[in-house]
Amino acid sequence: MAPLLLGLTILLVGDSHVTFKNTLLATLPDELTRQGAKVISYGLCSSKPEDWVDEKPTNTCGSTMRVGVEPITLSMQPGDVPPNIPALLEKWHPNAVIVVFGDAMAGYGQKDMPTNWIDDQVHALVDQVGSTNCIWVGPTWGAYNPRYGKTDERTLQLAALLKKDVQPCHYIDSTTLMSRGHVETEDGIHLTTAEYQKWSAALSAQIIPLLVHKS
């Protein structure tokens, strides 16, 4: 059987969940590549959608650029941050864009979720993606840690808002892919290597059927 995504170019961008060696970056591009796609991945730790639309913040916790299944190299240089979405679309001409954003803009630890601020930056990114096929991956479960303050309630609140805001992008609600209360993390937000592998497998099962007729 021929690979299902043969001929597709996929641009994958996101926050810390696609930046480090033990994250989705280590497994999701590999599975899409096995299905025949050319995958270009960019990760910027702690980034939000607005950081991929306007000027980037100072890179303080790492950024990554990976083509296909090449080795993952983390950059800690302050000025070494990915180009914005329009520049990436112009450079790679992808058939589809997959974005992984949510945790960094949820306002964990704050009394109220910054809904208007989230609306504005999500709409700005979606507008810049334009007519390119788009898949938005939302946050999955975590655990409370005073460092971040992530709670199940806020995660559900954010997922519901993103599902509405990201249209016409297809929204993947990661809270439906993993079991609440059973996702092991390193710090409340970032998953263990084994859990990232589970999340990646579940995402692949959702993403591939969405793209199979785009090649």
Side-chain angles (χ1 to χ4, degrees), residues 145-172:
N145 181 329
R147 178 182 178 185
Y148 295 111
K150 181 169 182 172
T151 63
D152 289 352
E153 290 72 23
R154 180 59 57 85
T155 303
L156 287 171
Q157 185 182 8
L158 177 63
L161 179 63
L162 289 176
K163 184 176 182 179
K164 172 175 63 72
D165 273 358
V166 306
Q167 296 179 17
C169 294
H170 181 92
Y171 183 65
I172 296 181

Side-chain angles (χ1 to χ4, degrees), residues 193-207:
T193 299
E195 294 297 295
Y196 271 120
Q197 291 171 346
K198 293 177 185 177
W199 189 13
S200 179
L203 288 174
S204 296
Q206 296 286 314
I207 290 170

Side-chain angles (χ1 to χ4, degrees), residues 79-99:
D80 191 8
V81 294
N84 59 26
I85 286 293
L88 292 175
L89 294 175
E90 178 65 25
K91 179 178 177 65
W92 297 107
H93 302 287
N95 303 97
V97 177
I98 302 172
V99 298

Side-chain angles (χ1 to χ4, degrees), residues 108-109 142-151 185-189:
Y108 297 134
Y144 180 77
N145 181 329
R147 178 182 178 185
Y148 295 111
K150 181 169 182 172
T151 63
T185 70
E186 299 285 354
D187 55 14
I189 286 184

Side-chain angles (χ1 to χ4, degrees), residues 19-20 43-45 59 61-65 73-77 80-82:
T19 300
F20 302 108
L44 179 60
C45 178
N59 177 18
C61 59
S63 64
T64 307
M65 186 269 186
T73 303
L74 181 70
S75 171
M76 297 298 292
Q77 297 300 317
D80 191 8
V81 294

